Each structure stands twice: as structure tokens, then as C-alpha cells.
């Protein structure tokens, strides 16, 4: 009697079951890769087989129609194989070089943007924003759309000094890898939560609410059968709002965005590094966030004018010095940029090598 093994919906499927045949046949045998044109990667195996990856910009939040459209293109030109990168790009995996140019023509005809390879700006990885997250200090998709619209000339070309990776986190909980991006945009709250005692009394487990605060800013208030907040200890993280809708944190007037620069995860040329804040606050001027767009473009253009070839933003800043960075960009230095935290990022081990 044959035994049928049940298929469990636990964890991701084995990626090797979904690889294109050309990758399976040449697994571990790839000799080199090159970039024939912006947005196109050519991977060559020791056997001489070549696989082309065509990178296309994609929103992080997409519709079913978008998924169906790109799947049709993959069926027509790539034997059905495509993948999403960690930065929300779509890569069409072309094993037949004769189909490469027809695929690119079809993508351009449909208005898709090809680029993001080599010394260019890739898609901005970002968090949920106002569309889904209840603690967001800013939108994510809207800011990213506004910034990338302005910087598109650096996506479909390879004229930057080095690769540029950006991230956006819509609050300080930092879901968007903003701590290790060349340029990061972070949503910031600046006021403590506003307590609605009626809501807390009616449906909040007060011990859990008190325990949720990482700085101990929340204490029980037996008199009101509610809680109270020590404003000086509050760091505006939003954990309490997660526990109770009676701890409203969002503030249309005082919420905004900060800009950080200099982070990276790669170990090439220099060790991985954390980003540092250079602009503590910009207003939430939706729907196009002109102040944020202008600040990001300013930093990028100064980097282009002063960096050496292959020099990431953080590497350039470390070479010229932070004083020079502020003078070149015209960004005013503030005492809020001084890192006086006793466990500052300087104490973290950021290298890829383990040492004991």
C-alpha cells in the first residue's frame, strides 16, 4: 500500500523545487556575471550557458491584475519563470537570448520601468505606512512614489558613483531596514500618546498595557481605573497603542520624517555600517512630500559631485568627514544629531567576520 505524504502549509516551500531548469543544471557552476545594459544582468556558467535577468521596478503593494500581467509576460518570454527581489523589483529570468529584446520591448510598451542594476538607485524598500500600520508616523508608499518619481533618471541609467540603496520606515520601530541604507527616511512621532480613559476602562488589560512600555513610562492610575504616562520617559514607539486603542499616538501636526545616511550591509571595500541621522525633522506634506524629495535629491547630487568611483555614500562621508558633509550639503547641524546614547552604534560589531 502506497503511503501518501501530506503536504503541510508550514513555512516556505523548498526554493529548489521552483528553480528554472538552467539554474538547476548549472547550480554552483556560475563563472561570472556582467551588466550588458541598465536593468539587465547576464549570468554565465562554466558550461557556457547564459541566463539573463531583466529587472523591472514594482510597487511593494500590488494588485492581482499586476500579478497576472507579469505572469503572462513570464509565460510568453521566460517559460513562466520570474522572481521578486528583496527590494521589490521583479526579475524576469530569460534562458533564451532570442527572447530578451522582445521581452524588453513588451515591457516598455506596457510602461514598465527597466533598471536598478549596477551604479544606480534600486527600488526603495519600505514598510506599510498609513495604508495598513496603526503606529505609522508617515505614509510609506506615498513618500516612496514621490521620491522615486523625482529620481527616476538614476534608476534607468548607471551614472551614479556606486550603487544606491534606500529604505523607508514609517516609525522608529524600523521595519524598513533604514538602519543599514545609504539613505533612509524614517517617520517620527514627537508627542506622547493621548489617553482616552473611557476606552481603557472598557476594554483594556491594564497590566499588559503597562508591561508593553519598553521605558517604563506607563504606570497604573487606580483613581481613574486607567493609566498615566510619564512624558519624559516616553520614546513614542507606539507599543502601547498596539495594546489599546485608548493610547492614540498619531498627531497630524507634530508627526513627520527624519533623514539618515551612510548605512550599508555589504562587506566590500569597507565593513558594514549603520546609518546616522542628518535631518531630524521634515513635515508630513502629503501627497508629494516636496521637502523630503528636495532633501534626498540634494544629498544625492552632492555625493555625485564629490565621490570617487565605486564609493558608497557612507564611504564618501567617512573619507571627507562629517563636518565637510554638512558644509557641502548645506544641511544645518543640530544638537539633536549628537549621539550621546551610552550603548551607541559605535559599540556594535558590524563586520561580517566572527571573532572570539
Amino acid at each position: 500500500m502506497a503511503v501518501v505524504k501530506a503536504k503541510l502549509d508550514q513555512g516556505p516551500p523548498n526554493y529548489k523545487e521552483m528553480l528554472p531548469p538552467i539554474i538547476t543544471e548549472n547550480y554552483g557552476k556560475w563563472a561570472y556575471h556582467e551588466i550588458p545594459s541598465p536593468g539587465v544582468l547576464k549570468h554565465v556558467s562554466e558550461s557556457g550557458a547564459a541566463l539573463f535577468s531583466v529587472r523591472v521596478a514594482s510597487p511593494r503593494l500590488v494588485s492581482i491584475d499586476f500579478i497576472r500581467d507579469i505572469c503572462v509576460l513570464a509565460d510568453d518570454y521566460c517559460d513562466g519563470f520570474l522572481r521578486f527581489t528583496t527590494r521589490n523589483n521583479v526579475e524576469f529570468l530569460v534562458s533564451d537570448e532570442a527572447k530578451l529584446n522582445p521581452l524588453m520591448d513588451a515591457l516598455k510598451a506596457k510602461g514598465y520601468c527597466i533598471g536598478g542594476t549596477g551604479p544606480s538607485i534600486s527600488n526603495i524598500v519600505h514598510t506599510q505606512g498609513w495604508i495598513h500600520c496603526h503606529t505609522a508616523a508617515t505614509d510609506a508608499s506615498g513618500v516612496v512614489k514621490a521620491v522615486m518619481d523625482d529620481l527616476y533618471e538614476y534608476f534607468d541609467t548607471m551614472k551614479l558613483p556606486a550603487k544606491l540603496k534606500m529604505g523607508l520606515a514609517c516609525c522608529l520601530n524600523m521595519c524598513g531596514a533604514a538602519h543599514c541604507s545609504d539613505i533612509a527616511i524614517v517617520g517620527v512621532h514627537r508627542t506622547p500618546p493621548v489617553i482616552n480613559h473611557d476606552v481603557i476602562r472598557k476594554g483594556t488589560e491594564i497590566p499588559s498595557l503597562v508591561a508593553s512600555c519598553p521605558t517604563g513610562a506607563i504606570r497604573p492610575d487606580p483613581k481613574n481605573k486607567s493609566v498615566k504616562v510619564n512624558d519624559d520617559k516616553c520614546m513614542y514607539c507606539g507599543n502601547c497603542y498596539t495594546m489599546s486603542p485608548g493610547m492614540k499616538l498619531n498627531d497630524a501636526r507634530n508627526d513627520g520624517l527624519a533623514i539618515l545616511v551612510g548605512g550599508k550591509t555589504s562587506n566590500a571595500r569597507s565593513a558594514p555600517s549603520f546609518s546616522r541621522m542628518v535631518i531630524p525633522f521634515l513635515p508630513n506634506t502629503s501627497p508629494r512630500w516636496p521637502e523630503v524629495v528636495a532633501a534626498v535629491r540634494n544629498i544625492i547630487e552632492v555625493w555625485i559631485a564629490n565621490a570617487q568611483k565605486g564609493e558608497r555614500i557612507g564611504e564618501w562621508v567617512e573619507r571627507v568627514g562629517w563636518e565637510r558633509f554638512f558644509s557641502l550639503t548645506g544641511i544645518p547641524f543640530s544638537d539633536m544629531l549628537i549621539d550621546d546614547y551610552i550603548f551607541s552604534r559605535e559599540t556594535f560589531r558590524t563586520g561580517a567576520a566572527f571573532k572570539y
Side-chain angles (χ1 to χ4, degrees):
M1 180 178 177
V3 177
V4 180
K5 188 177 180 181
K7 199 168 186 178
L8 301 179
D9 186 19
Q10 295 177 353
N14 189 336
Y15 69 94
K16 290 187 176 180
E17 298 176 1
M18 296 176 282
L19 294 177
I22 188 173
I23 294 181
T24 303
E25 295 164 5
N26 296 277
Y27 200 90
K29 301 176 184 177
W30 298 101
Y32 67 93
H33 75 273
E34 58 188 15
I35 307 177
S37 63
V40 180
L41 296 168
K42 180 182 180 181
H43 308 265
V44 181
S45 169
E46 295 170 355
S47 66
L51 174 69
F52 295 86
S53 301
V54 181
R55 184 174 294 179
V56 174
S58 162
R60 180 177 177 272
L61 304 172
V62 298
S63 66
I64 294 176
D65 290 335
F66 176 85
I67 298 294
R68 287 173 175 161
D69 286 345
I70 62 175
C71 285
V72 168
L73 289 169
D75 287 338
D76 291 342
Y77 300 99
C78 314
D79 300 320
F81 292 102
L82 57 79
R83 78 184 193 102
F84 282 86
T85 72
T86 56
R87 305 191 73 81
N88 311 317
N89 298 288
V90 179
E91 284 190 355
F92 293 89
L93 306 177
V94 185
S95 56
D96 183 358
E97 187 172 358
K99 295 182 179 180
L100 178 61
N101 287 330
L103 168 63
M104 296 179 67
D105 292 339
L107 289 168
K108 292 174 183 177
K110 289 180 175 293
Y112 292 120
C113 307
I114 302 173
T117 56
S120 66
I121 179 173
S122 188
N123 255 359
I124 301 177
V125 63
H126 66 84
T127 55
Q128 302 286 356
W130 288 332
I131 197 170
H132 180 74
C133 183
H134 61 282
T135 60
T138 188
D139 190 27
S141 302
V143 179
V144 166
K145 167 68 174 170
V147 171
M148 285 301 291
D149 280 352
D150 185 67
L151 298 176
Y152 181 72
E153 63 183 291
Y154 300 121
F155 177 82
D156 66 344
T157 62
M158 297 191 294
K159 58 184 180 180
L160 292 176
K163 65 177 66 176
L164 175 62
K165 295 185 180 295
M166 295 179 60
L168 186 147
C170 45
C171 78
L172 292 176
N173 289 320
M174 206 69 79
C175 304
H179 62 289
C180 55
S181 298
D182 292 292
I183 299 178
I185 305 168
V186 180
V188 291
H189 297 288
R190 298 194 299 173
T191 53
V194 178
I195 303 173
N196 186 324
H197 295 292
D198 288 337
V199 171
I200 291 176
R201 280 192 291 264
K202 289 177 181 177
T204 299
E205 189 179 64
I206 290 179
S208 296
L209 175 57
V210 172
S212 72
C213 182
T215 61
I218 302 175
R219 286 289 180 264
D221 183 4
K223 182 179 178 181
N224 291 311
K225 296 182 180 180
S226 182
V227 296
K228 52 188 175 183
V229 175
N230 183 338
D231 293 356
D232 293 335
K233 286 187 175 182
C234 179
M235 67 177 190
Y236 324 126
C237 69
N239 276 1
C240 57
Y241 187 64
T242 302
M243 300 302 298
S244 172
M247 304 291 289
K248 184 177 180 295
L249 185 64
N250 299 80
D251 185 335
R253 181 185 296 273
N254 291 295
D255 289 350
L257 306 100
I259 306 292
L260 293 79
V261 305
K264 75 184 187 82
T265 57
S266 77
N267 210 40
R269 298 176 306 278
S270 62
S273 59
F274 289 105
S275 53
R276 299 167 184 258
M277 185 167 66
V278 295
I279 301 177
F281 184 82
L282 292 169
N284 254 328
T285 316
S286 60
R288 299 299 295 177
W289 284 270
E291 297 87 354
V292 175
V293 171
V296 171
R297 173 169 280 276
N298 174 48
I299 293 171
I300 291 174
E301 290 183 343
V302 172
W303 169 56
I304 293 172
N306 294 275
Q308 298 173 356
K309 185 177 180 180
E311 199 170 43
R312 300 279 289 268
I313 288 183
E315 295 168 336
W316 162 63
V317 174
E318 289 298 329
R319 177 172 61 84
V320 303
W322 283 97
E323 296 86 353
R324 184 71 174 149
F325 167 82
F326 281 101
S327 64
L328 287 172
T329 57
I331 298 173
F333 185 83
S334 165
D335 58 354
M336 289 183 283
L337 306 179
I338 298 174
D339 186 359
D340 59 354
Y341 181 48
I342 188 172
F343 299 114
S344 76
R345 57 180 65 86
E346 299 295 338
T347 65
F348 287 126
R349 183 175 61 200
T350 56
F354 288 96
K355 296 179 182 179
Y356 296 96

